[in-house]
Amino acid sequence: MEKTEWELAVTSMSALLMWIAGIVVVLVLIGAFILGRRIQNRESPRPTPEEQPKMPEGGPVVEEQEYRDPDEVPQDGGRLLPHELKGGYGTSSTHRSASQDPEDHKKGNNSSFGSGGFGS
């Protein structure tokens, strides 16, 4: 079965288009690589080993756990805005709790809020 001139032209044209598409893809990848290198060269250099963080002389830092109590909000009946809090800008400070006993800090032992009851 012989191919007509039209069929041969279409197959050679599609082969040429595939080659052109392949070249375009390769050029785009090379351009992306060059652009990435330029951006990387503008960044600050990586830190040297001497600039890396060092372990403290006393060894690794040990995690401390303690119970903390929040500072009380004044109960004068007025509305307190976030910027009026002690720390300012919505931050609230805490202080070390007088009791570090875990039994004293269990949640839900002195309030009916969230108990699932009807309330009174």
Side-chain angles (χ1 to χ4, degrees), residues 11-23:
T11 56
S12 64
M13 182 64 84
S14 62
L16 178 65
L17 289 176
M18 290 299 224
W19 272 101
I20 292 173
I23 291 172

Side-chain angles (χ1 to χ4, degrees), residues 16-109:
L16 178 65
L17 289 176
M18 290 299 224
W19 272 101
I20 292 173
I23 291 172
V24 168
V25 168
V26 168
L27 290 176
V28 167
L29 289 174
I30 290 172
F33 178 78
I34 292 171
L35 179 65
R37 281 300 214 176
R38 285 184 183 171
I39 291 172
Q40 191 176 27
N41 288 339
R42 280 188 264 157
E43 293 176 353
S44 59
R46 294 183 177 153
T48 63
E50 294 80 32
E51 297 172 332
Q52 296 291 331
K54 304 281 189 275
M55 185 178 298
E57 291 182 18
V61 178
V62 180
E63 179 181 342
E64 289 186 24
Q65 290 186 345
E66 64 181 15
Y67 292 102
R68 302 191 60 81
D69 290 333
D71 287 339
E72 294 297 322
V73 177
Q75 302 294 325
D76 60 0
R79 181 174 173 179
L80 192 62
L81 299 175
H83 69 276
E84 296 173 324
L85 291 174
K86 184 177 181 183
Y89 300 104
T91 59
S92 61
S93 60
T94 61
H95 58 275
R96 184 179 167 90
S97 177
S99 169
Q100 293 297 310
D101 184 19
E103 292 296 320
D104 294 342
H105 295 278
K106 283 189 175 175
K107 295 192 184 286
N109 60 353

Side-chain angles (χ1 to χ4, degrees), residues 108 110-117:
N110 60 356
S111 172
S112 63
F113 180 75
S115 64

